[in-house]
Amino acid sequence: MNLIVLFVAIPLGAAFLMPLLGRVARKIPDILANLANFSLLVLALLATKQGLVVYKIGGWEAVGGIPIGIYLVLDGLAVLMLLIVNVIGFLATFYSVAYMERYTDKPRYYTLFLLMIAGMNGVILSGDMFNIFVFMEIAAIASYALVAFGTEAEELEAAFKYQVLGTVASCFILFGIAIAYSLTGTLNMADMSRVIAQQGIGTPVFFVGTLFLVGFGLKAAIMPFHAWLPDAHPSAPAPISAMLSGVLIKAIGVYALCRVLFNVLGLGKVSSFLYILLVLGTLSMIAGSLLALGQRDFKRLLAYSSISQIGYIILAFGLGTPLGFLGGLFHLLNHATFKSLLFLNSGAVVYSTGNRDLKKMGGLSQRMPVTGTTSMIASMSISGIPPLSGFWSKLIIIIAAIQAQQFIFALLAVVVSIITLAYYLKVQKLAFFGKLGEAWQEIKEVPAVMCISMIILAVLCVGLGILLIPGIKAVILDPAVEVLYNGARYAQLILGS
Amino acid sequence: MRGMTLIVKTITRLIVGLIFLYGIYIVFHGHLTPGGGFAGGIIIAGAFILLVLAEGSEELSTEVKKWRASLFESLGIFIFWFLAMLGVFAGTFFFLNLLPKGKPLELLSAGIILPCNIGIGIEVGAALFAIFITLAVLKGKGDKE
Amino acid sequence: MIYLLCVLLLLIGLYGVLVKKNLIKIIIGLSIMEYALFLFFAVIGYREGGTAPIITKGFEKAVFVDPLPQALVLTAIVIGLAVTALLVSLAVRIYEKHGTFDIRKIRRLKG
C-alpha cells in the first residue's frame, strides 16, 4: 500500500484544520475528529493485509545501496501496534464527544489528541532513528499539554513533573542517537543495524543500549523510572488517561525500546542485556501491584496497575524466546484494551458522581449497569480469569518463563497475578457492589456514546482470545513475533526491497 | 505590562518595519542562504514582540491578537501540510518536489521549498507571538493578585 | 576532550534538574541539558578543515563539515523551543495558583 504515510498525514491535517474550522459551528470538532480517527481505524484494518511496505518520503531512492531519505516501514510489529493505537484512539475520541462537554475549548482538546495520535503512528512507522525522536516528542508534548488540560493545581503540578522527567528521558534518547550516529555514520535504522552487525557488538553499543533503556524506560514507566506515571495519568481527562495508559506508554515506550534494542542494536540475543530487562520487568511488576493495593483513588490505582502490567510485558520480552515475545505482545494488546476500558469506566464514574475516592462509592452497579458490567469484565480480564483475554496472555508468559528455565520469575508472575485479582476485587467491592450510598440515589447512567465505547472495548476483552487460534494468529501475532525474534533480519528485509 | 519611554517607542516605530522586512527576506532566501522559514519566522515574531514590549500590552486587546495569531499559525502549518500532501494527491510520494526546480542559486528555484518556507515562516512567527502574548497576559494576571 | 566537555555540561544540567528547588531553575537545567546535546551533535559533524555545507558560487568543491547533524540540531532546537514554552507556561500557571516557584511549598501529590 502506497498510502501508509496517511497514518501520519491524516491526523496532522485534521489537527491543523481544527482551529480553523472549530469555531464555525459547535459540532464540527466532534465530527472532524471522529472522521479522522475512523478513517485511521479503517486504514489500520486494511494494513493487516499488507506485507512488508517500505515508503520513501519525497521519493528519495537509495544511492549505491545506502538509503538517504526518510523511510517509513510497515512490518508485522508495526501493523499490530497501529491496530492497537487506532482502535483505542477511535473509541476514546468517540467517548470524548460526550465526556468532554463539561470542559471548555473542545477544538483545542481534539487538536492535541490528534497530534498525539499522529506522533504515535509516526513512531510506529518510522524507519529512521531521528524521526522516532521527532515523532516521540510530538506525541509526548501533546500528552504533557493534555495532562494539564484541566488547569487545576494538581493537574498542573503533575504535568510539570511529567514533562520534566519526559524531557530528561528525551535528552538521554537524543544522546544515544548522537553516539549511534557517530558510531555508524547513518541514521536509517536498517542501515544502522547492518553496520553494527558488521562491526560487532562492543562496549559503545552497550552504552547506547543503556542510554536508550533509560530514556525509553522513563517513557514506558519501568520500575526505577516510574515516579511520574501515578501523578500524570490520573490527572488527565478520562479518555486521555485511557490513551496514555493504554497506548502512549506502549507506543513511545515499550515499542520504541524493543524496536531499537532488538532490531537496530541487535541486543536481542545478548543474554546479559536480556537479563536486565527481566529483572527490571519483574521489579516493576511486583512494586506496581503492591503500591496499587494500598490506593483509595480509583484512577491512581489503575495507574499503579499499569506499571505492574508493563512489568509483565518487559519480563516476557526479557526471556528472549519466541513464546516470550508472543506472550509479551499479546499482553500488550490485551492491556491496551482492558486498561483503556477501566479508565473509561473510571471516567464514567467521575462523570456521574464527580468523585474518585473508592471509599465514598458503593453500589454503583445498581444505577450504572453498563459501567458496572463492563468494569467487571475488564477487572476479571486483567486479573487473568479464564476464558477472558488476560488469562491467555498471562498463561503464555508464565509458560514461556518455565520453558526458559526461569522458575523464580514464573512463580513471581503467578503471585503478582493473584495480587492483581485482590486489588481489582477491592475496586469491584467498594465501587460497584454493596449498598448504594445515600449521596448517589439520584445518579444516572452515562450518555449512550460513552456506553457504546465501553461496550465495544468489553467485547474486545472477551473476544481477543480468538487471536490465538492458529489461522488468525498467523495473520496478526506471528509476523510481529517474527520481527522481534529475528531482529537481525530487519536490515536485510528493508535494504533488500 | 506597561509601555516604555518615548525614546524607546520612537526608535521602535522607526526600526520595526526594517526588522519585519529582514524577516521576510530570510524566509524568501531560505533555499539559497542560511536561514529559512524558522529563522525568518522568529525574526518576524521578534518585530511584533518588540512592538508590544515598547507600547505596552494594556492598550492592545490581547485576546483578539492571540486569536488572530493562532488562526495564522494554523493557516501556515496547514499550507505546509498541503504542500507535503501534493505528492500524495498526485499519486506519488509524500513531500515529493513536484514543482519545476528552476536554475540553481536563483530566487524562484528549488520547487516547493520556497512555498514551504513561506508556510513555516507564517506558522513560526504567529506561534511564537501567540506564546509571547499568552505568557504576557498570564504574567499580568499574577501581578494584580 | 571536547566530547567530555559536552558530557560535563549535560551533567551540570542534570544536577540542576535534580537538585534545584525552583521551577524556573529546573527549566534552566533542562535547557542546559538540551544545549549540551546540541553542542555534542555539532562536534560530531566536524571535519578537519571543513567549511559550512552551503553550495555558493566559488565554493562548489570545498571540504564541507557533515551537514546532517546540523539539520538534526535545528530540528531539536525547534522541539526544545516547544518544550521550554510549554514548561514556562505551566510554571506561570502554577505560580498563579500558589504564588511561589518553590517546589517544596507546592508539592501536593505524593509519589
Short mmCIF file of all heavy atoms in Angstrom, two decimals, chain A residues 376-414:
data_model
loop_
_atom_site.label_atom_id
_atom_site.label_comp_id
_atom_site.label_asym_id
_atom_site.label_seq_id
_atom_site.Cartn_x
_atom_site.Cartn_y
_atom_site.Cartn_z
N MET A 376 -16.52 -4.86 35.40
CA MET A 376 -16.39 -6.22 35.94
C MET A 376 -15.61 -7.08 34.94
O MET A 376 -14.66 -7.79 35.31
CB MET A 376 -17.80 -6.80 36.14
CG MET A 376 -17.83 -8.16 36.75
SD MET A 376 -17.38 -8.05 38.48
CE MET A 376 -17.24 -9.77 38.89
N ILE A 377 -16.01 -7.01 33.66
CA ILE A 377 -15.33 -7.81 32.63
C ILE A 377 -13.85 -7.44 32.56
O ILE A 377 -12.97 -8.30 32.55
CB ILE A 377 -16.01 -7.61 31.26
CG1 ILE A 377 -17.42 -8.20 31.29
CG2 ILE A 377 -15.20 -8.25 30.15
CD1 ILE A 377 -18.23 -7.86 30.08
N ALA A 378 -13.59 -6.12 32.54
CA ALA A 378 -12.20 -5.68 32.42
C ALA A 378 -11.39 -6.13 33.62
O ALA A 378 -10.25 -6.58 33.49
CB ALA A 378 -12.15 -4.17 32.28
N SER A 379 -11.96 -6.01 34.82
CA SER A 379 -11.23 -6.40 36.03
C SER A 379 -10.90 -7.88 36.01
O SER A 379 -9.79 -8.29 36.36
CB SER A 379 -12.06 -6.10 37.27
OG SER A 379 -12.38 -4.76 37.33
N MET A 380 -11.89 -8.67 35.59
CA MET A 380 -11.63 -10.10 35.56
C MET A 380 -10.59 -10.44 34.51
O MET A 380 -9.74 -11.31 34.69
CB MET A 380 -12.94 -10.85 35.25
CG MET A 380 -13.97 -10.78 36.36
SD MET A 380 -13.32 -11.34 37.93
CE MET A 380 -13.10 -9.83 38.84
N SER A 381 -10.64 -9.71 33.40
CA SER A 381 -9.69 -9.98 32.33
C SER A 381 -8.28 -9.63 32.77
O SER A 381 -7.33 -10.38 32.56
CB SER A 381 -10.07 -9.18 31.10
OG SER A 381 -9.26 -9.52 30.02
N ILE A 382 -8.11 -8.48 33.43
CA ILE A 382 -6.77 -8.05 33.82
C ILE A 382 -6.22 -8.95 34.92
O ILE A 382 -5.02 -9.17 35.03
CB ILE A 382 -6.76 -6.57 34.25
CG1 ILE A 382 -5.33 -6.02 34.23
CG2 ILE A 382 -7.36 -6.35 35.60
CD1 ILE A 382 -5.25 -4.56 34.41
N SER A 383 -7.11 -9.54 35.74
CA SER A 383 -6.60 -10.42 36.79
C SER A 383 -6.37 -11.84 36.29
O SER A 383 -5.91 -12.67 37.05
CB SER A 383 -7.55 -10.47 37.98
OG SER A 383 -8.41 -9.41 37.99
N GLY A 384 -6.71 -12.10 35.05
CA GLY A 384 -6.38 -13.41 34.49
C GLY A 384 -7.38 -14.48 34.84
O GLY A 384 -7.01 -15.60 35.22
N ILE A 385 -8.66 -14.17 34.72
CA ILE A 385 -9.69 -15.19 34.95
C ILE A 385 -10.04 -15.80 33.59
O ILE A 385 -10.38 -15.08 32.67
CB ILE A 385 -10.97 -14.56 35.55
CG1 ILE A 385 -10.64 -13.82 36.84
CG2 ILE A 385 -12.03 -15.61 35.77
CD1 ILE A 385 -10.28 -14.71 37.99
N PRO A 386 -9.95 -17.12 33.42
CA PRO A 386 -10.33 -17.70 32.14
C PRO A 386 -11.83 -17.57 31.95
O PRO A 386 -12.57 -17.57 32.95
CB PRO A 386 -9.91 -19.17 32.27
CG PRO A 386 -9.83 -19.42 33.72
CD PRO A 386 -9.50 -18.12 34.38
N PRO A 387 -12.34 -17.46 30.72
CA PRO A 387 -11.61 -17.51 29.44
C PRO A 387 -11.33 -16.12 28.87
O PRO A 387 -11.23 -15.99 27.67
CB PRO A 387 -12.62 -18.24 28.57
CG PRO A 387 -13.95 -17.72 29.04
CD PRO A 387 -13.79 -17.39 30.50
N LEU A 388 -11.25 -15.10 29.70
CA LEU A 388 -11.06 -13.75 29.18
C LEU A 388 -9.62 -13.59 28.66
O LEU A 388 -8.73 -14.37 29.01
CB LEU A 388 -11.35 -12.71 30.27
CG LEU A 388 -12.79 -12.78 30.76
CD1 LEU A 388 -12.96 -12.04 32.05
CD2 LEU A 388 -13.72 -12.22 29.71
N SER A 389 -9.42 -12.57 27.84
CA SER A 389 -8.17 -12.47 27.09
C SER A 389 -6.94 -12.39 28.00
O SER A 389 -5.90 -12.97 27.70
CB SER A 389 -8.22 -11.25 26.19
OG SER A 389 -8.42 -10.09 26.94
N GLY A 390 -7.06 -11.68 29.13
CA GLY A 390 -5.90 -11.52 30.01
C GLY A 390 -5.36 -12.84 30.51
O GLY A 390 -4.16 -13.00 30.74
N PHE A 391 -6.24 -13.81 30.68
CA PHE A 391 -5.81 -15.12 31.15
C PHE A 391 -4.82 -15.75 30.17
O PHE A 391 -3.77 -16.24 30.56
CB PHE A 391 -7.04 -16.02 31.31
CG PHE A 391 -6.70 -17.47 31.50
CD1 PHE A 391 -6.11 -17.91 32.67
CD2 PHE A 391 -6.96 -18.39 30.50
CE1 PHE A 391 -5.79 -19.24 32.84
CE2 PHE A 391 -6.64 -19.72 30.66
CZ PHE A 391 -6.05 -20.15 31.84
N TRP A 392 -5.16 -15.70 28.88
CA TRP A 392 -4.33 -16.38 27.89
C TRP A 392 -2.95 -15.75 27.83
O TRP A 392 -1.95 -16.46 27.77
CB TRP A 392 -5.00 -16.33 26.51
CG TRP A 392 -6.33 -16.98 26.53
CD1 TRP A 392 -7.53 -16.37 26.44
CD2 TRP A 392 -6.60 -18.37 26.69
NE1 TRP A 392 -8.55 -17.29 26.53
CE2 TRP A 392 -8.00 -18.52 26.68
CE3 TRP A 392 -5.80 -19.51 26.85
CZ2 TRP A 392 -8.63 -19.76 26.81
CZ3 TRP A 392 -6.43 -20.73 26.97
CH2 TRP A 392 -7.81 -20.85 26.95
N SER A 393 -2.90 -14.39 27.84
CA SER A 393 -1.57 -13.79 27.68
C SER A 393 -0.72 -14.06 28.91
O SER A 393 0.48 -14.35 28.80
CB SER A 393 -1.71 -12.29 27.42
OG SER A 393 -2.50 -11.69 28.39
N LYS A 394 -1.33 -14.02 30.11
CA LYS A 394 -0.53 -14.31 31.30
C LYS A 394 -0.08 -15.77 31.31
O LYS A 394 1.05 -16.08 31.69
CB LYS A 394 -1.34 -14.01 32.56
CG LYS A 394 -1.40 -12.52 32.83
CD LYS A 394 -1.96 -12.21 34.19
CE LYS A 394 -2.00 -10.73 34.38
NZ LYS A 394 -2.70 -10.32 35.60
N LEU A 395 -0.98 -16.64 30.85
CA LEU A 395 -0.63 -18.06 30.79
C LEU A 395 0.58 -18.26 29.87
O LEU A 395 1.54 -18.97 30.23
CB LEU A 395 -1.83 -18.85 30.27
CG LEU A 395 -1.67 -20.37 30.29
CD1 LEU A 395 -1.64 -20.86 31.71
CD2 LEU A 395 -2.79 -21.05 29.53
N ILE A 396 0.54 -17.59 28.71
CA ILE A 396 1.65 -17.76 27.76
C ILE A 396 2.95 -17.25 28.39
O ILE A 396 4.00 -17.88 28.28
CB ILE A 396 1.36 -17.02 26.45
CG1 ILE A 396 0.18 -17.66 25.74
CG2 ILE A 396 2.58 -17.04 25.53
CD1 ILE A 396 -0.28 -16.91 24.54
N ILE A 397 2.87 -16.10 29.07
CA ILE A 397 4.08 -15.55 29.67
C ILE A 397 4.65 -16.52 30.71
O ILE A 397 5.85 -16.79 30.76
CB ILE A 397 3.80 -14.17 30.32
CG1 ILE A 397 3.48 -13.14 29.24
CG2 ILE A 397 4.97 -13.69 31.15
CD1 ILE A 397 3.02 -11.83 29.77
N ILE A 398 3.76 -17.10 31.53
CA ILE A 398 4.24 -18.00 32.59
C ILE A 398 4.82 -19.27 31.97
O ILE A 398 5.90 -19.74 32.38
CB ILE A 398 3.09 -18.30 33.57
CG1 ILE A 398 2.76 -17.03 34.36
CG2 ILE A 398 3.47 -19.41 34.53
CD1 ILE A 398 1.43 -17.05 35.04
N ILE A 399 4.14 -19.80 30.95
CA ILE A 399 4.68 -20.99 30.30
C ILE A 399 6.04 -20.69 29.68
O ILE A 399 6.99 -21.48 29.79
CB ILE A 399 3.71 -21.52 29.22
CG1 ILE A 399 2.45 -22.05 29.88
CG2 ILE A 399 4.35 -22.62 28.39
CD1 ILE A 399 1.39 -22.46 28.91
N ALA A 400 6.14 -19.49 29.05
CA ALA A 400 7.40 -19.12 28.41
C ALA A 400 8.51 -19.03 29.45
O ALA A 400 9.64 -19.47 29.22
CB ALA A 400 7.25 -17.80 27.68
N ALA A 401 8.19 -18.48 30.64
CA ALA A 401 9.20 -18.35 31.68
C ALA A 401 9.65 -19.73 32.14
O ALA A 401 10.84 -19.96 32.39
CB ALA A 401 8.65 -17.55 32.85
N ILE A 402 8.69 -20.66 32.25
CA ILE A 402 9.07 -22.01 32.69
C ILE A 402 9.92 -22.69 31.63
O ILE A 402 10.94 -23.31 31.92
CB ILE A 402 7.81 -22.85 32.99
CG1 ILE A 402 7.12 -22.28 34.22
CG2 ILE A 402 8.16 -24.30 33.22
CD1 ILE A 402 5.77 -22.85 34.49
N GLN A 403 9.53 -22.50 30.36
CA GLN A 403 10.30 -23.10 29.27
C GLN A 403 11.73 -22.56 29.23
O GLN A 403 12.66 -23.28 28.90
CB GLN A 403 9.64 -22.79 27.93
CG GLN A 403 8.84 -23.94 27.40
CD GLN A 403 8.36 -23.67 26.00
OE1 GLN A 403 8.76 -22.71 25.36
NE2 GLN A 403 7.48 -24.52 25.51
N ALA A 404 11.87 -21.26 29.57
CA ALA A 404 13.21 -20.66 29.55
C ALA A 404 13.97 -20.95 30.84
O ALA A 404 15.02 -20.37 31.08
CB ALA A 404 13.11 -19.16 29.32
N GLN A 405 13.41 -21.81 31.68
CA GLN A 405 14.05 -22.26 32.93
C GLN A 405 14.17 -21.12 33.95
O GLN A 405 15.02 -21.17 34.83
CB GLN A 405 15.43 -22.83 32.66
CG GLN A 405 15.46 -23.78 31.49
CD GLN A 405 15.79 -25.18 31.89
OE1 GLN A 405 16.74 -25.41 32.61
NE2 GLN A 405 14.99 -26.13 31.45
N GLN A 406 13.33 -20.09 33.82
CA GLN A 406 13.35 -19.00 34.82
C GLN A 406 12.21 -19.25 35.80
O GLN A 406 11.20 -18.54 35.79
CB GLN A 406 13.18 -17.64 34.13
CG GLN A 406 14.13 -17.37 33.01
CD GLN A 406 15.51 -17.01 33.50
OE1 GLN A 406 15.80 -17.06 34.69
NE2 GLN A 406 16.39 -16.64 32.58
N PHE A 407 12.39 -20.26 36.67
CA PHE A 407 11.26 -20.68 37.50
C PHE A 407 10.84 -19.61 38.50
O PHE A 407 9.67 -19.41 38.77
CB PHE A 407 11.61 -21.98 38.22
CG PHE A 407 11.91 -23.09 37.26
CD1 PHE A 407 13.19 -23.61 37.15
CD2 PHE A 407 10.91 -23.60 36.44
CE1 PHE A 407 13.46 -24.61 36.25
CE2 PHE A 407 11.18 -24.60 35.53
CZ PHE A 407 12.46 -25.12 35.44
N ILE A 408 11.85 -18.90 39.06
CA ILE A 408 11.52 -17.88 40.06
C ILE A 408 10.64 -16.80 39.44
O ILE A 408 9.64 -16.38 40.01
CB ILE A 408 12.81 -17.27 40.63
CG1 ILE A 408 13.62 -18.38 41.29
CG2 ILE A 408 12.49 -16.19 41.64
CD1 ILE A 408 15.02 -17.97 41.67
N PHE A 409 11.02 -16.38 38.22
CA PHE A 409 10.24 -15.33 37.58
C PHE A 409 8.83 -15.81 37.27
O PHE A 409 7.87 -15.06 37.39
CB PHE A 409 10.95 -14.85 36.31
CG PHE A 409 12.25 -14.16 36.60
CD1 PHE A 409 13.46 -14.78 36.37
CD2 PHE A 409 12.25 -12.88 37.12
CE1 PHE A 409 14.65 -14.14 36.65
CE2 PHE A 409 13.44 -12.23 37.40
CZ PHE A 409 14.64 -12.86 37.18
N ALA A 410 8.71 -17.09 36.88
CA ALA A 410 7.38 -17.64 36.61
C ALA A 410 6.54 -17.61 37.88
O ALA A 410 5.37 -17.19 37.87
CB ALA A 410 7.51 -19.06 36.10
N LEU A 411 7.16 -18.00 39.00
CA LEU A 411 6.43 -18.01 40.27
C LEU A 411 5.98 -16.61 40.64
O LEU A 411 4.82 -16.39 41.02
CB LEU A 411 7.35 -18.59 41.35
CG LEU A 411 6.70 -18.73 42.73
CD1 LEU A 411 5.64 -19.82 42.68
CD2 LEU A 411 7.73 -19.03 43.79
N LEU A 412 6.91 -15.63 40.48
CA LEU A 412 6.56 -14.25 40.83
C LEU A 412 5.41 -13.75 39.96
O LEU A 412 4.52 -13.05 40.44
CB LEU A 412 7.79 -13.35 40.65
CG LEU A 412 8.85 -13.51 41.73
CD1 LEU A 412 10.10 -12.74 41.37
CD2 LEU A 412 8.31 -13.02 43.06
N ALA A 413 5.43 -14.15 38.67
CA ALA A 413 4.35 -13.72 37.78
C ALA A 413 3.01 -14.26 38.27
O ALA A 413 2.00 -13.54 38.27
CB ALA A 413 4.62 -14.18 36.35
N VAL A 414 3.01 -15.48 38.76
CA VAL A 414 1.75 -16.06 39.28
C VAL A 414 1.31 -15.29 40.53
O VAL A 414 0.14 -14.92 40.67
CB VAL A 414 1.95 -17.55 39.62
CG1 VAL A 414 0.70 -18.10 40.27
CG2 VAL A 414 2.27 -18.32 38.36
#
